[in-house]
Amino acid sequence: MRVLLIGGTSHTGKSTVARAAAERLGFTYRPTDLLARHPGRPWRTPDREVPPQVAEHYGTLGVDELIDSVLDHYARLWPRIEELITEHAVGTGPGLVLEGSALWPSRVAALDVPRVEAVWFTADEGVLADRMHAAARYGEASAEERYLVDRFVARARRFQHLVRESVDAAGLCRVDTTGRTVTDLVEEILAGHGRQSP
């Protein structure tokens, strides 16, 4: 294996596990979000306010429209992702652990690149919502802020459902991260439970 791909919806543990796996393997870690960012998480952090366009995005679009928007973004991003995977799979430098929601299962399944393994993370929907609420400090948020978080949570749930369908249809590997430690998840995916792309 020269490239490990970790996909799934937001807050399933992709970033944390991907960093740990990259360190264990001596590979480069990279998130797909750095390639081009779709409207990000619609909640404030200590060093970031929610940009007006992000608030408008989540505040005005329905769940199906939010899904269509993010899937269109990922489709446009795919050629760059495929190029990055290929560069590392056939290169001689360090391998790559690439993680992100942009790793759509049917596209990964269609890759004709050697030495690539992929896994998708899922988690209990209640756990996902709890993690997002904690990150957004939902209990302290205004009604307007909570509405935006609720739209993000609804989109994440719908996205996870679609990911599961696509993973299962392609015969790829998915792992439920609910209640699992980072160490256990790294051990599982590096023990060969990730499925090599055809």
Side-chain angles (χ1 to χ4, degrees), residues 10-170:
S10 182
H11 286 78
T12 52
K14 299 184 305 296
S15 300
T16 304
V17 173
R19 285 189 186 96
E23 183 176 347
R24 171 92 171 268
L25 292 166
F27 284 10
T28 300
Y29 160 77
R30 192 158 184 183
T32 59
D33 280 351
L34 291 184
L35 301 176
R37 192 160 181 84
H38 192 259
R41 296 169 181 172
W43 54 76
R44 288 183 289 120
T45 63
D47 58 350
R48 174 188 170 272
E49 291 295 322
V50 178
Q53 68 274 15
V54 173
E56 180 181 4
H57 181 77
Y58 288 100
T60 61
L61 298 181
V63 174
D64 288 341
E65 293 170 307
L66 290 170
I67 289 291
D68 288 345
S69 174
V70 75
L71 290 180
D72 286 347
H73 170 69
Y74 293 157
R76 290 190 301 273
L77 191 55
W78 180 251
R80 177 64 188 118
I81 292 173
E82 186 173 10
E83 179 183 322
L84 188 62
I85 292 169
T86 303
E87 284 173 3
H88 282 82
V90 301
T92 57
L96 174 69
V97 178
L98 182 66
E99 61 86 6
S101 299
L103 297 169
W104 194 250
S106 60
R107 291 192 185 98
V108 171
L111 280 172
D112 186 21
V113 182
R115 298 185 291 176
V116 177
E117 291 190 11
V119 62
W120 282 263
F121 285 175
T122 59
D124 176 83
E125 288 188 358
V127 170
L128 289 178
D130 288 346
R131 290 174 181 171
M132 293 175 201
H133 286 169
R137 291 193 258 179
Y138 194 82
E140 304 165 23
S142 68
E144 182 179 343
E145 290 170 328
R146 287 186 181 193
Y147 179 77
L148 298 180
V149 175
D150 290 343
R151 304 307 288 171
F152 186 88
V153 171
R155 189 200 77 172
R157 286 176 169 158
R158 177 72 177 136
F159 189 89
Q160 176 164 267
H161 175 76
L162 295 172
V163 165
R164 277 190 178 127
E165 286 184 341
S166 186
V167 167
D168 293 349

Side-chain angles (χ1 to χ4, degrees), residues 171-182:
L172 297 171
C173 180
R174 65 179 166 92
V175 172
D176 190 312
T177 62
T178 306
R180 305 284 303 279
T181 68
V182 172

